[in-house]
């Protein structure tokens, strides 16, 4: 590049002014690079705030669903924990106890029935033996 072309390109800039401009350009570039994540988050925040009015209806719907789900969970919790006899858990325990009692009664009843049948069979055999 010739001296005339440099003079036309840079005008009346001195070397000090050119150095200051280069330093300023590098400082601005450094600032932009370092601030880019913050600037990106700022733009995302502004975009989210711009979308907020359209999302308010959705948020209200979510709140209603959460209230409904909390009520359902409360009902489920009530039914699956002991609470003085009115829950499904209490009823299940009562049913299990009754089934166990019936099983015990059936087992003891079978033994008693077996004893009675043997007694009757012996009596019948005794009568047959005495009749002969």
């Amino acid at each position: 590049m010739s001296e005339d072309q440099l003079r036309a390109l840079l005008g009346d800039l001195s070397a000090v002014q050119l150095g200051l401009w280069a330093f300023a350009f590098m400082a601005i570039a450094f600032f932009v690079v370092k601030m880019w994540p913050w600037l990106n988050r700022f733009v995302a925040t502004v975009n989210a705030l711009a979308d907020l009015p359209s999302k308010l209806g959705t948020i209200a719907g979510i709140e209603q669903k959460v209230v409904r789900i909390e009520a359902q969970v409360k009902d489920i919790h009530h039914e699956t924990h002991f609470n003085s006899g009115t829950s499904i858990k209490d009823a299940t325990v009562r049913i299990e106890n009754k089934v166990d009692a019936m099983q015990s009664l059936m087992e003891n009843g079978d033994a008693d029935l077996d004893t009675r049948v043997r007694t009757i069979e012996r009596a019948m055999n005794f009568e047959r033996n005495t009749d002969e």
Side-chain angles (χ1 to χ4, degrees):
M1 193 176 248
S2 72
E3 198 173 307
D4 290 335
Q5 289 174 333
L6 271 174
R7 208 173 272 132
L9 180 65
L10 300 175
D12 292 336
L13 285 177
S14 67
V16 172
Q17 289 174 330
L18 183 62
L20 286 174
W21 275 109
F23 177 76
F25 177 75
M26 289 175 63
I28 290 171
F30 178 78
F31 179 75
V32 168
V33 167
K34 286 294 185 179
M35 294 303 290
W36 184 256
W38 181 84
L39 183 62
N40 202 10
R41 286 193 306 265
F42 177 75
V43 169
T45 302
V46 170
N47 286 338
L49 288 174
D51 293 340
L52 187 61
S54 65
K55 300 212 181 209
L56 286 177
T58 305
I59 291 171
I62 290 172
E63 288 175 350
Q64 291 171 353
K65 286 180 183 178
V66 167
V67 168
R68 195 169 54 245
I69 289 170
E70 283 177 343
Q72 291 171 344
V73 168
K74 184 178 177 183
D75 290 342
I76 291 168
H77 182 271
H78 173 76
E79 289 299 327
T80 57
H81 290 79
F82 294 111
N83 63 359
S84 306
T86 60
S87 70
I88 292 174
K89 179 125 180 154
D90 291 325
T92 303
V93 169
R94 283 193 307 271
I95 291 169
E96 286 177 347
N97 290 339
K98 287 181 182 179
V99 167
D100 290 343
M102 288 176 66
Q103 182 178 1
S104 175
L105 181 64
M106 291 288 291
E107 289 171 357
N108 292 337
D110 283 349
D112 290 343
L113 183 60
D114 188 43
T115 304
R116 289 181 181 176
V117 167
R118 284 188 185 145
T119 304
I120 292 171
E121 286 176 345
R122 282 188 204 126
M124 289 177 67
N125 284 338
F126 180 73
E127 285 180 8
R128 275 190 218 151
N129 290 339
T130 55
D131 288 339
E132 294 175 357

